[in-house]
Amino acid sequence: MSSDAAARLLPTIRVVAAALYDREGRVLITERPPGKHLAGRWEFPGGKIDAGETEEAALARELAEELGITMRRARALARLAHDYDDRRIDISLWVVEEYGGEPAGLDGLRLKWVSPAHLHHEDMLKADVPFIAALQRLYNERLS
């Protein structure tokens, strides 16, 4: 069976993720909690898109639930699909341009701020790794 045919047999999960910056230009990443698929690995905050929900609405909901912040303005940056052994992830990364509140790891969620230049040193989910180059380009454009 071809890899394309195999990918069509995997359940597809639609997710949205956020590139959230602090005043120093660092990006927020969160650790997947115990009991979740790929627990202990780092990822960009976000989560599953519910049926009938837009990507933007899902992102706003997930950021409120996970981090306790209110998303005010965001824009889509990139989209990709990644196949794990047991599922396909269709993921859209959004740059959050404005938000209210101070991000905090609710329900014990661990988080940290990382310079885009150092994201490749983190134990990131494979689905998120291709976004690192896009975020580094965006960071470099802001510096110039």
Side-chain angles (χ1 to χ4, degrees):
M1 182 181 313
S2 75
S3 61
D4 287 340
R8 285 191 294 272
L9 298 176
L10 294 173
T12 298
I13 301 169
R14 293 182 58 228
V15 299
V16 63
L20 194 74
Y21 292 90
D22 68 3
R23 286 185 174 89
E24 297 173 35
R26 298 175 301 176
V27 178
L28 184 71
I29 58 175
T30 58
E31 186 180 36
R32 293 196 52 84
K36 290 234 178 170
H37 183 249
L38 301 170
R41 305 284 300 273
W42 292 87
E43 66 182 345
F44 298 108
K48 294 179 186 174
I49 301 169
D50 291 339
E53 194 173 37
T54 66
E55 288 184 0
E56 194 168 7
L59 187 60
R61 176 184 50 76
E62 287 286 347
L63 293 178
E65 291 173 1
E66 288 183 8
L67 305 174
I69 62 171
T70 303
M71 185 179 81
R72 294 190 179 126
R73 193 174 75 236
R75 65 180 171 87
L77 179 66
R79 173 189 306 276
L80 62 84
H82 180 81
D83 293 340
Y84 288 103
D85 291 339
D86 61 342
R87 64 190 78 186
R88 169 171 272 211
I89 304 295
D90 179 11
I91 185 170
S92 179
L93 180 70
W94 288 63
V95 174
V96 177
E97 297 174 324
E98 186 180 336
Y99 60 92
E102 189 62 36
L106 304 182
D107 295 326
L109 183 69
R110 288 185 54 204
L111 51 89
K112 63 181 167 180
W113 296 96
V114 179
S115 164
H118 295 112
L119 282 170
H120 64 280
H121 295 299
E122 301 296 330
D123 186 18
M124 299 290 291
L125 292 179
K126 288 184 180 178
D128 284 352
V129 168
F131 292 136
I132 294 172
L135 292 175
Q136 288 172 340
R137 280 191 302 274
L138 190 63
Y139 178 74
N140 291 334
E141 288 170 8
R142 289 180 177 178
L143 292 179
S144 36

